[in-house]
Amino acid sequence: MSDFDLVVDDLTLSTKGNIAYLSNDYTSLKVFFDHEDGCVSVHRESDVQAVLYTEGTDESEILSPVTLPKEFMFAIERTIKSYLTKWSM
């Protein structure tokens, strides 16, 4: 499985903070990241939150902190960087 089969569903670059929504067949994630000089960095595990979709709530998502192995963190960074490179952001 290359990069855990993650795909970028949505991405926002902003001076207030960069946010990407990633998903695969098993999970959806909200990721806060830095983007400078072509490099993408996710600094802390707390910058990655699981998105839990539930029925009967006004909000479409309930965010939960997650604990991730380093390999998964690197896969998140590579996936975002690849997306940015593809769209030349």
Side-chain angles (χ1 to χ4, degrees):
M1 184 181 328
S2 89
D3 284 338
F4 296 88
D5 293 330
L6 290 168
V7 294
V8 175
D9 298 320
D10 192 22
L11 186 138
T12 303
L13 296 177
S14 168
T15 55
K16 294 180 181 181
N18 304 316
I19 301 173
Y21 288 88
L22 284 74
S23 65
N24 63 16
D25 290 341
Y26 306 102
T27 189
S28 295
L29 303 168
K30 181 177 183 178
V31 180
F32 298 91
F33 67 96
D34 289 334
H35 177 247
E36 189 174 331
D37 298 327
C39 294
V40 172
S41 300
V42 179
H43 296 287
R44 300 173 302 277
E45 282 186 355
S46 61
D47 290 336
V48 180
Q49 299 173 328
V51 179
L52 308 172
Y53 296 97
T54 57
E55 285 189 45
T57 61
D58 292 335
E59 305 261 337
S60 62
E61 58 193 38
I62 298 172
L63 302 177
S64 172
V66 293
T67 302
L68 303 170
K70 287 201 179 289
E71 296 83 13
F72 195 68
M73 294 288 283
F74 294 143
I76 289 169
E77 291 175 343
R78 284 191 303 270
T79 301
I80 294 170
K81 183 176 180 179
S82 175
Y83 181 87
L84 291 170
T85 302
K86 179 179 178 182
W87 296 104
S88 299
M89 297 180 143

Coordinates of all heavy atoms in Angstrom, one line a residue:
M1 N 0.9 -1.2 0.0 CA 0.0 0.0 0.0 C 0.9 1.2 0.0 O 1.6 1.5 0.9 CB -0.9 0.0 1.2 CG -1.9 1.1 1.3 SD -2.9 1.1 2.8 CE -3.2 -0.5 3.3
S2 N 0.9 2.0 -1.1 CA 1.7 3.2 -1.1 C 1.1 4.3 -0.4 O -0.1 4.7 -0.7 CB 2.1 3.5 -2.6 OG 1.1 4.4 -3.1
D3 N 1.8 4.9 0.5 CA 1.3 6.0 1.3 C -0.1 5.8 1.9 O -0.9 6.7 2.0 CB 1.4 7.3 0.5 CG 2.8 7.8 0.4 OD1 3.6 7.5 1.2 OD2 3.0 8.6 -0.6
F4 N -0.3 4.5 2.3 CA -1.6 4.2 3.0 C -2.8 4.5 2.1 O -3.9 4.6 2.6 CB -1.7 4.8 4.3 CG -0.6 4.4 5.3 CD1 0.6 5.0 5.4 CD2 -0.8 3.3 6.1 CE1 1.6 4.6 6.2 CE2 0.2 2.9 7.0 CZ 1.4 3.5 7.1
D5 N -2.6 4.6 0.8 CA -3.7 4.9 -0.1 C -4.5 6.2 0.2 O -5.7 6.3 0.0 CB -4.7 3.8 -0.3 CG -4.0 2.6 -1.0 OD1 -3.1 2.8 -1.8 OD2 -4.4 1.4 -0.7
L6 N -3.7 7.2 0.8 CA -4.4 8.4 1.2 C -4.6 9.3 0.0 O -3.8 9.3 -1.0 CB -3.5 9.2 2.2 CG -3.4 8.6 3.6 CD1 -2.3 9.3 4.4 CD2 -4.7 8.8 4.3
V7 N -5.7 10.0 0.0 CA -6.0 11.0 -1.1 C -6.4 12.3 -0.4 O -7.0 12.3 0.7 CB -7.1 10.5 -2.0 CG1 -6.7 9.3 -2.8 CG2 -8.4 10.3 -1.3
V8 N -6.1 13.4 -1.1 CA -6.5 14.7 -0.6 C -7.9 15.0 -1.1 O -8.2 15.0 -2.3 CB -5.6 15.8 -1.0 CG1 -6.1 17.2 -0.6 CG2 -4.2 15.6 -0.5
D9 N -8.9 15.2 -0.1 CA -10.2 15.5 -0.5 C -10.4 17.0 -0.6 O -11.3 17.5 -1.4 CB -11.2 15.0 0.6 CG -11.1 13.4 0.7 OD1 -11.0 12.8 -0.4 OD2 -11.2 12.9 1.8
D10 N -9.7 17.8 0.2 CA -9.8 19.2 0.2 C -8.6 19.8 0.8 O -8.0 19.2 1.7 CB -11.1 19.7 0.9 CG -11.4 21.2 0.7 OD1 -11.0 21.7 -0.3 OD2 -12.1 21.7 1.6
L11 N -8.2 21.0 0.4 CA -7.0 21.6 0.9 C -7.1 23.1 0.8 O -7.6 23.7 -0.2 CB -5.7 21.2 0.1 CG -4.4 21.6 0.6 CD1 -3.4 20.5 0.5 CD2 -3.9 22.8 -0.2
T12 N -6.7 23.8 1.9 CA -6.8 25.3 2.0 C -5.4 25.8 2.4 O -4.9 25.4 3.5 CB -7.9 25.7 2.9 OG1 -9.1 25.2 2.5 CG2 -7.9 27.2 3.0
L13 N -4.8 26.7 1.6 CA -3.6 27.4 2.1 C -4.0 28.8 2.5 O -4.7 29.5 1.8 CB -2.6 27.5 0.9 CG -2.1 26.2 0.4 CD1 -1.2 26.5 -0.8 CD2 -1.3 25.4 1.4
S14 N -3.6 29.2 3.7 CA -4.0 30.4 4.3 C -2.9 31.0 5.2 O -2.2 30.2 5.8 CB -5.3 30.3 5.0 OG -5.6 31.4 5.8
T15 N -2.9 32.3 5.4 CA -1.9 32.8 6.3 C -2.4 32.5 7.8 O -1.5 32.5 8.7 CB -1.9 34.4 6.2 OG1 -3.2 34.9 6.3 CG2 -1.3 34.7 4.8
K16 N -3.6 32.1 8.0 CA -4.1 31.8 9.3 C -3.8 30.3 9.6 O -4.0 29.9 10.7 CB -5.6 32.1 9.4 CG -5.9 33.5 9.3 CD -7.4 33.8 9.5 CE -7.7 35.3 9.4 NZ -9.1 35.5 9.5
G17 N -3.4 29.5 8.6 CA -3.2 28.1 8.8 C -3.6 27.3 7.6 O -4.6 27.5 7.0
N18 N -2.8 26.3 7.3 CA -3.0 25.4 6.2 C -3.7 24.2 6.7 O -3.3 23.6 7.7 CB -1.7 25.0 5.5 CG -0.9 26.2 5.1 OD1 -1.5 27.2 4.5 ND2 0.4 26.2 5.3
I19 N -4.8 23.8 6.0 CA -5.6 22.6 6.4 C -5.8 21.7 5.2 O -6.2 22.2 4.1 CB -7.0 23.1 7.0 CG1 -6.8 24.0 8.2 CG2 -7.8 21.9 7.4 CD1 -8.0 24.6 8.7
A20 N -5.6 20.5 5.4 CA -5.9 19.5 4.4 C -6.9 18.4 5.0 O -6.7 18.0 6.1 CB -4.7 18.8 3.9
Y21 N -7.8 18.0 4.2 CA -8.6 16.8 4.5 C -8.2 15.7 3.7 O -8.2 15.8 2.5 CB -10.1 17.1 4.3 CG -10.7 18.1 5.3 CD1 -10.6 19.5 5.1 CD2 -11.3 17.7 6.5 CE1 -11.1 20.4 6.0 CE2 -11.8 18.6 7.4 CZ -11.7 19.9 7.1 OH -12.3 20.8 8.0
L22 N -7.8 14.6 4.3 CA -7.3 13.4 3.7 C -8.2 12.2 4.0 O -8.8 12.2 5.1 CB -5.9 13.1 4.1 CG -4.8 13.9 3.4 CD1 -4.7 15.3 4.1 CD2 -3.5 13.2 3.6
S23 N -8.3 11.2 3.2 CA -9.0 10.0 3.5 C -8.5 8.8 2.7 O -7.7 9.0 1.8 CB -10.5 10.2 3.2 OG -10.7 10.4 1.8
N24 N -8.8 7.7 3.2 CA -8.7 6.4 2.5 C -9.9 5.5 2.8 O -10.9 6.1 3.3 CB -7.3 5.7 2.9 CG -7.2 5.3 4.3 OD1 -8.2 5.2 5.0 ND2 -6.0 5.0 4.8
D25 N -9.8 4.3 2.5 CA -11.0 3.4 2.7 C -11.4 3.3 4.2 O -12.5 2.8 4.5 CB -10.8 2.0 2.1 CG -10.7 2.0 0.6 OD1 -11.2 3.0 0.0 OD2 -10.2 1.1 0.0
Y26 N -10.5 3.6 5.1 CA -10.7 3.3 6.5 C -10.9 4.6 7.4 O -11.4 4.4 8.5 CB -9.5 2.5 7.1 CG -9.3 1.3 6.2 CD1 -8.2 1.2 5.3 CD2 -10.1 0.2 6.3 CE1 -8.0 0.1 4.5 CE2 -9.9 -0.9 5.6 CZ -8.8 -1.0 4.7 OH -8.6 -2.1 3.9
T27 N -10.4 5.7 7.0 CA -10.4 6.9 7.9 C -10.5 8.2 7.1 O -10.2 8.2 5.9 CB -9.2 6.9 8.7 OG1 -9.3 7.9 9.7 CG2 -7.9 7.1 7.9
S28 N -10.9 9.2 7.8 CA -10.9 10.6 7.2 C -10.1 11.4 8.3 O -10.3 11.3 9.5 CB -12.3 11.1 7.1 OG -13.0 10.4 6.1
L29 N -9.3 12.3 7.8 CA -8.4 13.1 8.7 C -8.4 14.6 8.3 O -8.6 14.9 7.1 CB -6.9 12.6 8.5 CG -6.7 11.1 8.8 CD1 -5.2 10.8 8.4 CD2 -6.9 10.8 10.3
K30 N -8.4 15.4 9.3 CA -8.2 16.8 9.2 C -6.7 17.1 9.7 O -6.4 16.7 10.8 CB -9.2 17.6 10.0 CG -9.0 19.1 9.9 CD -10.1 19.8 10.7 CE -10.0 21.3 10.5 NZ -11.1 22.0 11.3
V31 N -5.9 17.7 8.8 CA -4.5 17.9 9.1 C -4.1 19.4 9.0 O -4.4 20.0 8.0 CB -3.6 17.1 8.1 CG1 -2.2 17.3 8.4 CG2 -4.0 15.6 8.1
F32 N -3.5 19.9 10.0 CA -2.9 21.2 10.0 C -1.5 21.1 9.7 O -0.8 20.2 10.3 CB -3.1 21.9 11.4 CG -4.5 22.1 11.8 CD1 -5.1 21.1 12.6 CD2 -5.2 23.2 11.5 CE1 -6.5 21.2 12.9 CE2 -6.5 23.4 11.9 CZ -7.2 22.4 12.6
F33 N -1.0 21.8 8.7 CA 0.4 21.6 8.2 C 1.0 23.0 7.8 O 0.4 24.0 7.6 CB 0.4 20.7 7.0 CG -0.2 21.2 5.8 CD1 0.6 21.8 4.8 CD2 -1.6 21.1 5.6 CE1 0.0 22.3 3.6 CE2 -2.2 21.6 4.4 CZ -1.4 22.2 3.5
D34 N 2.4 23.0 7.8 CA 3.1 24.1 7.3 C 3.6 23.8 5.9 O 3.9 22.6 5.6 CB 4.4 24.4 8.2 CG 4.0 24.9 9.5 OD1 2.9 25.6 9.6 OD2 4.8 24.7 10.5
H35 N 3.6 24.8 5.1 CA 4.1 24.7 3.7 C 5.0 25.8 3.4 O 4.6 27.0 3.3 CB 2.9 24.7 2.7 CG 3.3 24.6 1.3 ND1 3.0 25.6 0.4 CD2 3.8 23.6 0.6 CE1 3.5 25.3 -0.8 NE2 4.0 24.1 -0.7
E36 N 6.3 25.5 3.2 CA 7.3 26.6 2.9 C 8.4 26.0 2.0 O 8.9 24.9 2.3 CB 7.9 27.1 4.2 CG 8.7 28.3 4.1 CD 9.2 28.9 5.4 OE1 8.5 28.7 6.4 OE2 10.3 29.4 5.4
D37 N 8.7 26.8 1.0 CA 9.8 26.4 0.0 C 9.6 25.0 -0.5 O 10.5 24.2 -0.6 CB 11.1 26.5 0.7 CG 11.4 28.0 1.1 OD1 11.0 28.9 0.4 OD2 12.1 28.1 2.1
G38 N 8.3 24.6 -0.8 CA 8.1 23.3 -1.4 C 8.1 22.1 -0.4 O 7.9 21.0 -0.8
C39 N 8.3 22.4 0.9 CA 8.3 21.4 1.9 C 7.0 21.4 2.7 O 6.5 22.5 3.0 CB 9.5 21.6 2.9 SG 11.1 21.4 2.1
V40 N 6.5 20.3 3.0 CA 5.3 20.1 3.9 C 5.7 19.5 5.2 O 6.4 18.5 5.2 CB 4.2 19.2 3.2 CG1 3.1 18.9 4.1 CG2 3.8 19.9 1.9
S41 N 5.2 20.1 6.3 CA 5.6 19.6 7.6 C 4.3 19.5 8.5 O 3.5 20.5 8.6 CB 6.6 20.5 8.3 OG 7.8 20.6 7.6
V42 N 4.2 18.4 9.1 CA 3.1 18.2 10.1 C 4.0 18.0 11.4 O 4.7 17.0 11.6 CB 2.3 16.9 9.9 CG1 1.3 16.8 11.0 CG2 1.6 17.1 8.5
H43 N 3.9 19.0 12.3 CA 4.8 19.1 13.4 C 4.5 18.2 14.6 O 5.4 17.6 15.2 CB 5.0 20.5 13.9 CG 5.6 21.4 12.9 ND1 6.9 21.3 12.5 CD2 5.1 22.3 12.0 CE1 7.2 22.2 11.6 NE2 6.1 22.8 11.3
R44 N 3.2 18.0 14.9 CA 2.8 17.3 16.1 C 1.7 16.3 15.7 O 0.9 16.6 14.8 CB 2.4 18.2 17.1 CG 3.4 19.2 17.6 CD 2.8 20.3 18.6 NE 1.7 21.0 18.0 CZ 1.8 22.1 17.3 NH1 2.9 22.5 16.9 NH2 0.7 22.7 16.8
E45 N 1.5 15.3 16.5 CA 0.4 14.4 16.3 C -0.9 15.1 16.5 O -1.9 14.8 15.9 CB 0.5 13.2 17.3 CG 1.4 12.1 16.8 CD 1.4 10.9 17.7 OE1 0.6 10.9 18.7 OE2 2.0 9.9 17.4
S46 N -0.9 16.2 17.4 CA -2.1 16.9 17.7 C -2.6 17.7 16.4 O -3.7 18.3 16.4 CB -1.9 17.9 18.9 OG -0.9 18.8 18.6
D47 N -1.7 17.8 15.4 CA -2.1 18.5 14.2 C -2.9 17.6 13.3 O -3.3 18.0 12.2 CB -0.8 19.0 13.4 CG -0.1 20.2 14.2 OD1 -0.8 20.9 14.9 OD2 1.1 20.3 13.9
V48 N -3.1 16.4 13.6 CA -3.9 15.4 12.9 C -5.0 15.0 13.7 O -4.9 14.5 14.8 CB -3.0 14.2 12.5 CG1 -3.9 13.2 11.7 CG2 -1.8 14.6 11.7
Q49 N -6.2 15.1 13.1 CA -7.4 14.7 13.9 C -8.3 13.8 13.0 O -8.4 14.0 11.8 CB -8.3 16.0 14.2 CG -7.5 17.0 15.1 CD -8.3 18.2 15.3 OE1 -9.0 18.7 14.5 NE2 -8.1 18.8 16.5
A50 N -8.9 12.8 13.6 CA -9.8 11.9 12.9 C -11.1 12.6 12.8 O -11.6 13.3 13.7 CB -10.0 10.6 13.7
V51 N -11.7 12.5 11.6 CA -13.0 13.1 11.4 C -14.1 12.0 11.5 O -14.0 11.0 10.7 CB -13.1 13.7 10.0 CG1 -14.5 14.3 9.8 CG2 -12.0 14.8 9.9
L52 N -15.0 12.1 12.4 CA -16.0 11.1 12.6 C -17.3 11.6 12.2 O -17.8 12.6 12.7 CB -16.1 10.7 14.1 CG -14.8 10.3 14.8 CD1 -14.9 10.1 16.3 CD2 -14.2 9.0 14.2
Y53 N -17.9 11.0 11.2 CA -19.2 11.5 10.7 C -20.3 10.8 11.4 O -20.3 9.6 11.5 CB -19.3 11.2 9.2 CG -18.2 12.0 8.4 CD1 -17.0 11.5 8.0 CD2 -18.5 13.4 8.1 CE1 -16.1 12.2 7.3 CE2 -17.5 14.1 7.4 CZ -16.3 13.5 7.0 OH -15.4 14.2 6.4
T54 N -21.2 11.5 11.9 CA -22.3 10.9 12.7 C -23.7 11.5 12.3 O -23.7 12.7 11.9 CB -22.2 11.2 14.2 OG1 -22.1 12.6 14.4 CG2 -20.9 10.6 14.7
E55 N -24.7 10.7 12.3 CA -26.0 11.2 12.0 C -26.6 11.9 13.2 O -26.3 11.6 14.4 CB -26.9 10.0 11.6 CG -26.6 9.4 10.3 CD -27.7 8.4 9.9 OE1 -28.9 8.7 10.1 OE2 -27.3 7.4 9.4
G56 N -27.5 12.8 12.9 CA -28.2 13.5 14.0 C -27.5 14.6 14.7 O -27.9 15.1 15.8
T57 N -26.4 15.1 14.1 CA -25.7 16.2 14.7 C -25.7 17.4 13.7 O -25.8 17.2 12.5 CB -24.2 15.9 15.0 OG1 -23.6 15.5 13.7 CG2 -24.1 14.7 15.9
D58 N -25.7 18.6 14.2 CA -25.7 19.8 13.4 C -24.4 19.9 12.6 O -24.3 20.4 11.5 CB -25.9 21.0 14.2 CG -27.3 21.1 14.8 OD1 -28.2 20.4 14.2 OD2 -27.5 21.8 15.8
E59 N -23.3 19.4 13.2 CA -22.0 19.5 12.6 C -21.8 18.2 11.8 O -22.2 17.1 12.1 CB -20.9 19.5 13.7 CG -21.1 20.6 14.7 CD -20.2 21.8 14.4 OE1 -19.2 21.6 13.7 OE2 -20.6 22.9 14.9
S60 N -21.1 18.3 10.7 CA -20.8 17.2 9.8 C -19.7 16.4 10.3 O -19.4 15.3 9.9 CB -20.6 17.6 8.4 OG -19.4 18.4 8.3
E61 N -18.9 16.9 11.3 CA -17.8 16.2 11.8 C -17.6 16.4 13.3 O -17.9 17.5 13.8 CB -16.5 16.7 11.0 CG -16.3 18.1 11.2 CD -15.2 18.6 10.2 OE1 -15.2 18.1 9.0 OE2 -14.4 19.5 10.6
I62 N -17.1 15.4 13.9 CA -16.7 15.5 15.3 C -15.2 15.1 15.3 O -14.8 14.1 14.8 CB -17.5 14.5 16.2 CG1 -18.9 14.9 16.2 CG2 -16.9 14.5 17.6 CD1 -19.8 13.9 16.9
L63 N -14.3 16.0 15.8 CA -12.9 15.8 15.6 C -12.4 15.1 16.9 O -12.7 15.5 18.0 CB -12.2 17.1 15.4 CG -12.7 17.9 14.1 CD1 -12.0 19.2 14.0 CD2 -12.5 17.0 12.9
S64 N -11.4 14.2 16.7 CA -10.9 13.5 17.7 C -9.3 13.4 17.5 O -8.9 13.1 16.4 CB -11.5 12.1 17.8 OG -10.8 11.3 18.7
P65 N -8.5 13.7 18.5 CA -7.1 13.5 18.4 C -6.7 12.0 18.2 O -7.4 11.2 18.7 CB -6.5 14.0 19.7 CG -7.6 14.1 20.6 CD -8.9 14.1 19.9
V66 N -5.7 11.8 17.4 CA -5.3 10.4 17.2 C -3.8 10.2 17.5 O -3.0 11.2 17.5 CB -5.6 10.0 15.7 CG1 -7.0 9.9 15.4 CG2 -4.9 10.9 14.7
T67 N -3.4 9.0 17.7 CA -2.0 8.6 17.9 C -1.6 7.9 16.6 O -2.2 6.9 16.3 CB -1.8 7.8 19.1 OG1 -2.3 8.5 20.3 CG2 -0.3 7.4 19.3
L68 N -0.5 8.3 16.0 CA -0.1 7.8 14.7 C 1.3 7.3 14.7 O 2.2 8.0 15.3 CB -0.3 8.8 13.6 CG -1.6 9.4 13.5 CD1 -1.6 10.6 12.5 CD2 -2.6 8.4 12.9
P69 N 1.6 6.2 14.0 CA 3.0 5.9 13.8 C 3.7 6.9 12.9 O 3.1 7.5 12.1 CB 2.9 4.5 13.2 CG 1.6 4.4 12.6 CD 0.7 5.3 13.4
K70 N 5.0 7.0 13.0 CA 5.8 7.9 12.2 C 5.6 7.7 10.7 O 5.6 8.6 9.9 CB 7.3 7.9 12.6 CG 7.5 8.6 13.9 CD 9.0 8.9 14.0 CE 9.3 9.6 15.3 NZ 8.8 11.0 15.4
E71 N 5.5 6.4 10.3 CA 5.4 6.1 8.9 C 4.1 6.7 8.4 O 4.1 7.2 7.2 CB 5.3 4.6 8.7 CG 6.6 3.9 9.1 CD 6.7 3.6 10.6 OE1 5.7 3.7 11.3 OE2 7.8 3.2 11.0
F72 N 3.0 6.7 9.2 CA 1.8 7.3 8.7 C 1.9 8.8 8.6 O 1.4 9.4 7.7 CB 0.6 6.9 9.7 CG -0.7 7.1 9.1 CD1 -1.2 6.4 8.0 CD2 -1.6 8.1 9.6 CE1 -2.5 6.6 7.5 CE2 -2.8 8.3 9.1 CZ -3.3 7.5 8.1
M73 N 2.6 9.4 9.6 CA 2.8 10.9 9.6 C 3.6 11.3 8.3 O 3.2 12.2 7.6 CB 3.6 11.3 10.8 CG 2.8 11.2 12.1 SD 1.5 12.4 12.3 CE 2.4 13.8 12.7
F74 N 4.6 10.5 8.0 CA 5.4 10.8 6.8 C 4.5 10.6 5.5 O 4.6 11.3 4.5 CB 6.6 9.9 6.7 CG 7.6 10.1 7.7 CD1 8.4 9.1 8.3 CD2 7.9 11.4 8.2 CE1 9.3 9.3 9.3 CE2 8.8 11.7 9.2 CZ 9.5 10.6 9.7
A75 N 3.6 9.6 5.5 CA 2.7 9.4 4.4 C 1.8 10.5 4.2 O 1.5 11.0 3.1 CB 2.0 8.1 4.6
I76 N 1.3 11.1 5.3 CA 0.5 12.3 5.2 C 1.2 13.4 4.6 O 0.7 14.1 3.7 CB 0.0 12.7 6.7 CG1 -1.1 11.6 7.2 CG2 -0.6 14.1 6.7 CD1 -1.4 11.8 8.6
E77 N 2.4 13.7 5.0 CA 3.2 14.8 4.5 C 3.5 14.5 3.0 O 3.4 15.5 2.2 CB 4.6 14.9 5.2 CG 4.4 15.4 6.6 CD 5.7 15.5 7.4 OE1 6.7 14.8 7.0 OE2 5.7 16.1 8.5
R78 N 3.8 13.3 2.6 CA 4.1 13.0 1.2 C 2.9 13.2 0.3 O 2.9 13.7 -0.8 CB 4.7 11.6 1.0 CG 6.1 11.4 1.4 CD 6.7 10.1 1.0 NE 5.9 9.0 1.5 CZ 6.1 8.4 2.7 NH1 7.1 8.8 3.5 NH2 5.4 7.3 3.1
T79 N 1.7 12.8 0.9 CA 0.5 12.9 0.1 C 0.1 14.4 -0.1 O -0.3 14.8 -1.2 CB -0.7 12.2 0.9 OG1 -0.3 10.8 1.0 CG2 -2.0 12.3 0.1
I80 N 0.3 15.2 0.9 CA 0.0 16.6 0.8 C 1.0 17.3 -0.2 O 0.6 18.0 -1.1 CB 0.0 17.4 2.1 CG1 -1.2 16.9 3.0 CG2 -0.1 18.9 1.9 CD1 -1.1 17.3 4.4
K81 N 2.2 17.0 -0.1 CA 3.3 17.5 -0.9 C 3.0 17.1 -2.4 O 3.1 18.0 -3.3 CB 4.7 17.1 -0.5 CG 5.7 17.7 -1.4 CD 7.1 17.3 -0.9 CE 8.2 18.0 -1.8 NZ 9.5 17.7 -1.4
S82 N 2.7 15.9 -2.6 CA 2.4 15.4 -4.0 C 1.2 16.2 -4.6 O 1.2 16.6 -5.7 CB 2.1 13.9 -4.0 OG 1.7 13.5 -5.2
Y83 N 0.2 16.4 -3.8 CA -1.0 17.1 -4.2 C -0.6 18.6 -4.6 O -1.0 19.1 -5.6 CB -2.1 17.1 -3.1 CG -3.4 17.9 -3.5 CD1 -4.4 17.2 -4.1 CD2 -3.5 19.2 -3.1 CE1 -5.6 17.9 -4.5 CE2 -4.7 19.9 -3.5 CZ -5.7 19.2 -4.1 OH -6.9 19.9 -4.4
L84 N 0.1 19.2 -3.7 CA 0.6 20.6 -4.0 C 1.4 20.7 -5.2 O 1.3 21.6 -6.0 CB 1.3 21.2 -2.8 CG 0.4 21.4 -1.5 CD1 1.3 21.8 -0.3 CD2 -0.5 22.6 -1.8
T85 N 2.3 19.7 -5.4 CA 3.2 19.7 -6.6 C 2.3 19.5 -7.9 O 2.6 20.2 -8.9 CB 4.2 18.6 -6.5 OG1 5.0 18.8 -5.3 CG2 5.1 18.5 -7.7
K86 N 1.4 18.6 -7.8 CA 0.5 18.4 -8.9 C -0.3 19.6 -9.3 O -0.4 19.9 -10.5 CB -0.5 17.2 -8.6 CG -1.4 16.9 -9.7 CD -2.4 15.8 -9.3 CE -3.4 15.5 -10.4 NZ -4.3 14.4 -10.0
W87 N -0.7 20.4 -8.4 CA -1.5 21.6 -8.7 C -0.7 22.8 -8.6 O -1.2 23.9 -8.6 CB -2.7 21.6 -7.7 CG -3.6 20.5 -8.0 CD1 -3.8 19.3 -7.2 CD2 -4.5 20.2 -9.1 NE1 -4.7 18.5 -7.8 CE2 -5.1 19.0 -8.9 CE3 -4.8 21.0 -10.2 CZ2 -6.0 18.5 -9.9 CZ3 -5.7 20.5 -11.2 CH2 -6.3 19.3 -11.0
S88 N 0.6 22.7 -8.4 CA 1.6 23.8 -8.4 C 1.1 25.0 -7.5 O 1.1 26.1 -7.9 CB 1.7 24.4 -9.8 OG 2.3 23.4 -10.7
M89 N 0.9 24.6 -6.2 CA 0.5 25.6 -5.2 C 1.7 26.0 -4.5 O 2.5 25.3 -4.1 CB -0.6 25.0 -4.3 CG -1.8 24.7 -5.0 SD -3.0 24.1 -3.9 CE -4.5 24.7 -4.5

